[in-house]
Amino acid sequence: MNSPFSTRSLIAAALLGGSAFTASADAITDWNVRSGELIAASKLGTPPAIRVMAIVQTAAYEAVNDAAAHASVDAAVAAAHRAAFTGLLPSQQAEIDSAYRAALSGIADGPAKTAGIAVGEKAAATVLAARAGEGAAASDTYRPHTTAGIYVPTATPAVSHWPHRKPWLMASAAQFRPGPPPALTSAQWARDYNEVKALGSKSSTQRSMEQTEIARFWEYSLPSIYHGVVRSVAQLPDRDVARNARLFAAVAQAMDDAMISVFDAKYQYHFWRPVTAIRNGDDDGHDGTEREAGWAPFINTPLHPEYPSAHAILAGAVGAVLRAETSGGPAPVLATTSPTAKGAARQWKSVDAFIQEVSDARVYEGVHYRSSSTVGAAMGERIGELAATRYLRGNERLAQKPAIDISAR
């Protein structure tokens, strides 16, 4: 889901995402920017990177909750981040320690600082222990679909074991599994096929300059691009460290569960990507899908099945949490930056506009069909609602909703 860039570019963009629009608010938002830097520098793929961020933000949230009146909250947040990252990203130990020392240097020595460090270390240890057996380290046992003796591409698809992980919020990986993608004989399939064929081609003459900019912007998928959007809310006036710790934990857990959910569906349906479908348009049994032998997408196709869209489910999950967090108040302008757009910033006046742009982008990039983005966003919103119910709205129960089905679209 993500593309390679220089570490310098990644760090610059992460810093811009944290400070371009308003000043940082507290230790939680400061560390959120640092976390994006550390994760980018580790060169993790997107799903593992999102898992790391969920663990780190949860540890920080627990540290803030556990810091009593006599303990420094800032020291607790710093210690929680250091301990969590030390357990998760040992290759970045020098950078982790440097960020930790910088954070502690602004805190006066004394019992409060010492107590805060102890609280943060304990919180991180508790969260790491709780997630140690959740399945992220399971062996890859993906079995390629082929006929004996026939060559298939030999690269292994990404995180085929992710559906077996233990969710944070969902009852199971399949809780929000959608119905199947459009039938290849359907009118919806022909519409999806021809839209991405026209707008998502590397050589498209129909994709506008604005659509191309959107596509390039959302080629990036590591946590920092989404957490930049969250900081648009976290940095609003009159917020405090406890509220922001809760917000970032809710978002991070929703994003991680979104990855578990989307890969459950992807490996359930194994639906083909546009580059495969369009080069085989004469084999799908539909007269309305004309083959294009040399068709190529605008960006490189991610190495996992198509349906549903992972970017769209992430946007839906983040959007649902932010919608709940800002309910009843003025709608903030959401903004973030992207390394794949050379650090450029984009902004949206509503959560819906943000989610829609992310969904559109995957069509413009030539890697997803419209139905996949629509369904992915709907799944993400369900998961974001779970996170909002747990963290932002107390213990009220979320009403049961029917399974997501696109067959009637």
Side-chain angles (χ1 to χ4, degrees):
M1 291 169 63
N2 58 297
S3 301
F5 327 100
S6 71
T7 299
R8 180 178 298 174
S9 296
L10 292 166
I11 292 175
L15 287 169
L16 179 61
S19 60
F21 310 108
T22 55
S24 64
D26 51 46
I28 287 290
T29 51
D30 287 343
W31 269 102
N32 183 259
V33 175
R34 294 187 185 106
S35 297
E37 299 168 14
L38 291 167
I39 290 171
S42 73
K43 302 187 185 303
L44 285 177
T46 296
I50 288 172
R51 172 183 177 267
V52 167
M53 186 65 97
I55 292 172
V56 168
Q57 294 293 168
T58 302
Y61 167 72
E62 296 295 344
V64 171
N65 280 349
D66 293 344
H70 66 281
S72 165
V73 171
D74 287 1
V77 170
H81 278 85
R82 180 183 181 275
F85 273 127
T86 295
L88 296 165
L89 300 180
S91 65
Q92 302 303 307
Q93 193 64 58
E95 290 79 7
I96 294 166
D97 289 343
S98 177
Y100 179 64
R101 288 193 298 270
L104 289 188
S105 67
I107 305 171
D109 291 336
K113 182 176 182 178
T114 300
I117 290 171
V119 166
E121 290 177 347
K122 181 180 179 181
T126 299
V127 175
L128 286 169
R131 302 304 296 181
E134 47 91 30
S139 299
D140 170 27
T141 58
Y142 180 80
R143 182 173 182 173
H145 294 262
T146 186
T147 301
I150 302 299
Y151 169 80
V152 295
T154 51
T156 303
V159 294
S160 60
H161 61 294
W162 232 236
H164 304 295
R165 290 184 54 217
K166 178 183 177 182
W168 296 85
L169 305 159
M170 301 183 297
S172 71
Q175 181 174 349
F176 298 113
R177 182 188 291 171
L184 300 185
T185 55
S186 68
Q188 181 65 60
W189 165 244
R191 288 194 296 270
D192 284 352
Y193 178 104
N194 288 308
E195 181 186 30
V196 71
K197 181 182 178 185
L199 295 179
S201 169
K202 184 182 289 290
S203 57
S204 175
T205 59
Q206 298 187 43
R207 186 178 57 244
S208 70
M209 183 176 296
E210 170 74 1
Q211 290 169 336
T212 297
E213 290 174 357
I214 289 170
R216 186 60 74 194
F217 190 94
W218 288 106
E219 183 178 0
Y220 196 69
S221 59
L222 287 179
S224 61
I225 195 169
Y226 286 101
H227 282 260
V229 179
V230 180
R231 288 194 294 273
S232 302
V233 173
Q235 293 172 326
L236 291 172
D238 301 322
R239 292 186 64 90
D240 58 46
V241 67
R243 190 173 182 186
N244 283 342
R246 184 170 62 245
L247 172 62
F248 280 113
V251 166
Q253 289 186 16
M255 289 178 67
D256 199 21
D257 270 18
M259 289 291 91
I260 294 172
S261 180
V262 83
F263 281 100
D264 167 78
K266 283 177 179 290
Y267 287 108
Q268 172 70 22
Y269 295 114
H270 292 276
F271 201 56
W272 57 357
R273 290 280 183 173
V275 67
T276 307
I278 294 169
R279 291 186 177 215
N280 291 280
D282 54 343
D283 287 340
D284 66 2
H286 200 300
D287 292 339
T289 56
E290 185 177 347
R291 176 180 184 248
E292 184 174 330
W295 191 90
F298 180 60
I299 69 169
N300 292 332
T301 297
L303 197 59
H304 46 76
E306 190 275 336
Y307 176 86
S309 164
H311 249 312
I313 199 173
L314 288 174
V318 172
V321 175
L322 295 185
R323 188 182 290 121
E325 180 73 350
T326 59
S327 176
V333 174
L334 305 176
T336 193
T337 60
S338 170
T340 46
K342 299 181 179 179
R346 291 188 65 82
Q347 57 182 251
W348 308 271
K349 293 182 179 180
S350 70
V351 166
D352 288 345
F354 155 66
I355 295 172
Q356 187 62 57
E357 179 172 297
V358 177
S359 296
D360 291 342
R362 302 310 269 175
V363 176
Y364 304 154
E365 291 163 349
V367 297
H368 278 297
Y369 312 105
R370 178 65 59 185
S371 294
S372 184
S373 290
T374 300
V375 169
M379 293 169 67
E381 292 197 50
R382 301 277 184 84
I383 296 165
E385 289 170 1
L386 286 182
T389 297
R390 174 172 295 183
Y391 287 101
L392 309 181
R393 301 177 188 147
N395 296 318
E396 66 194 52
R397 290 185 177 274
L398 191 67
Q400 291 295 315
K401 296 185 178 182
I404 301 165
D405 185 3
I406 63 167
S407 60
R409 293 194 180 103

